[in-house]
Amino acid sequence: KDEGRGICRYYEPGMDSLVQGKQLLRADLRKALGRGELSLAFQPLMNFATGRVGAMEALLRWTHPQHGPISPDEFIPLAEETGVIVPLGAWVLHEACLAAATWPEEITVSVNLSPVQFRRHGLVEAVEASLKASGLEASRLQLEVTETVLMQNVADELEVLHALRRLGVRIAMDDFGTGYSSLSYLRTFPFDNIKIDRSFIADMSRNAQTNAIVRAVVELGQSLGVTTTAEGVENRQQMQELRAMGCHAGQGFLFSPPVPGSEVLALIERLGTEGCAAA
Ligand code: C2E
Ligand code: MG
Ligand code: MG
Ligand code: MG
């Protein structure tokens, strides 16, 4: 049986089978979209000023028919290697915009973009097409990019960022602080939102240095007129410190893990009533 062999090779120890397993997974990923194995989960970004959901981040999920759920940290790099991330990314954009069009108007949707999508032609067109097909206002779409987007060929990729901005979408810098030159990217492109990486949030209550860095990033955002969002908020103490610092929004297990699309409206309603206070 094909499937039996697949499992066997994937779990076999040793370098060769690991490589083979990856190759099988890569091939499976190419078929995953057509087979309906992909879905989106959504995680709320709480607006600290209103205490309500400000946005939902779309996070791609793959349930492999034999191996079960596979983490995006594992399969996104494979999709990038083969270029399959381009159609997958277009699908994510399309589905995320369709979903957001059914939510209350004040709630936006945030979509992760891969650097590979920037290097291929057609990203701006794909975003435009998703907005058009869903009828979603461009201002209700935020695109999250990591700094690796601007690592090569800066001029071309900057032009794409500006073209996206001209459509009226917001651009967020994801995982801020983890790369080599987060600061110089803030100088190169005027982002709308800075998402402070969760490694800083996890450490800020224990480590005075980290706390000072988070505070400084929030203040930097304020000086630049850029909103700041804290990733990986897991407890009340973190939320309270971040709010006191003037951070605009928070995302993390304290409020909710990512949930299936079918549960989004109920979640928005629950968090809208309870607000941040319930967390
Ligand atoms: P990300 O964009 O930084 O997304 C946030 C990740 O942190 C998500 O992991 C989320 O489940 C996790 N997270 C949220 N709150 C907490 C918390 O309180 N504690 C901890 N420990 N983790 C938390 P996920 O869904 O596994 O996604 C991992 C990464 O995969 C994403 O990081 C993003 O870089 C990438 N990814 C996911 N979906 C897509 C996609 O559609 N396209 C692209 N290009 N990348 C994607
Ligand atoms: Mg993200
Ligand atoms: Mg992130
Ligand atoms: Mg990340």
Side-chain angles (χ1 to χ4, degrees):
K1 245 190 358 185
D2 248 355
E3 295 163 358
R5 253 195 300 146
I7 295 179
C8 186
R9 281 196 199 161
Y10 183 62
Y11 286 115
E12 220 170 338
M15 222 18 211
D16 282 355
S17 49
L18 210 89
V19 170
Q20 270 185 335
K22 263 195 169 187
Q23 268 160 7
L24 287 171
L25 218 51
R26 253 188 228 111
D28 289 347
L29 191 51
R30 228 172 277 132
K31 298 174 229 154
L33 191 55
R35 291 180 176 172
E37 294 164 11
L38 298 174
S39 63
L40 292 185
F42 295 93
Q43 187 181 32
L45 280 66
M46 300 301 289
N47 180 326
F48 286 154
T50 63
R52 292 162 185 275
V53 177
M56 303 286 298
E57 179 173 2
L59 294 159
L60 190 53
R61 294 291 178 259
W62 180 22
T63 308
H64 189 280
Q66 283 88 43
H67 309 308
I70 298 180
S71 159
D73 287 325
E74 196 174 337
F75 73 79
I76 298 279
L78 295 181
E80 289 176 332
E81 280 164 32
T82 61
V84 168
I85 192 68
V86 174
L88 288 194
W91 181 83
V92 171
L93 271 166
H94 188 78
E95 292 295 310
C97 289
L98 280 179
T102 69
W103 304 339
E105 256 178 20
E106 66 277 11
I107 294 175
T108 60
V109 68
S110 202
V111 175
N112 293 286
L113 293 181
S114 157
V116 176
Q117 289 173 275
F118 273 80
R119 275 175 233 135
R120 305 283 179 86
H121 290 287
L123 176 59
V124 180
E125 290 77 5
V127 172
E128 248 182 321
S130 295
L131 290 171
K132 204 168 169 214
S134 60
L136 191 75
E137 289 262 356
S139 60
R140 288 182 63 200
L141 175 62
Q142 170 171 272
L143 301 172
E144 299 191 6
V145 301
T146 56
E147 66 184 49
T148 46
V149 158
L150 291 175
M151 237 139 79
Q152 304 170 334
N153 234 341
V154 174
D156 287 355
E157 274 119 41
L158 255 185
E159 181 41 42
V160 176
L161 277 175
H162 282 292
L164 290 170
R165 167 68 70 60
R166 282 195 296 273
L167 292 180
V169 305
R170 285 164 56 85
I171 313 282
M173 187 164 188
D174 204 355
D175 304 340
F176 183 83
T178 53
Y180 293 107
S181 38
S182 303
L183 279 180
S184 61
Y185 290 116
L186 285 185
R187 186 178 56 179
T188 314
F189 184 79
F191 289 90
D192 300 287
N193 184 16
I194 295 172
K195 296 190 76 179
I196 308 170
D197 191 70
R198 73 162 186 261
S199 56
F200 290 92
I201 310 306
D203 198 40
M204 64 182 255
S205 311
R206 287 190 295 267
N207 185 331
Q209 313 273 91
T210 311
N211 194 284
I213 292 171
V214 173
R215 183 182 302 275
V217 173
V218 170
E219 281 165 13
L220 176 67
Q222 282 163 350
S223 319
L224 293 171
V226 174
T227 59
T228 42
T229 301
E231 300 189 277
V233 181
E234 294 186 350
N235 60 55
R236 287 187 65 89
Q237 189 191 349
Q238 290 165 343
M239 178 187 72
Q240 280 156 356
E241 280 180 46
L242 289 160
R243 280 178 109 161
M245 285 176 185
C247 184
H248 294 84
Q251 173 180 12
F253 297 160
L254 175 65
F255 310 110
S256 171
V259 300
S262 59
E263 292 172 25
V264 166
L265 285 174
L267 179 66
I268 290 171
E269 199 171 325
R270 182 167 69 76
L271 289 171
T273 328
E274 297 172 357
C276 289

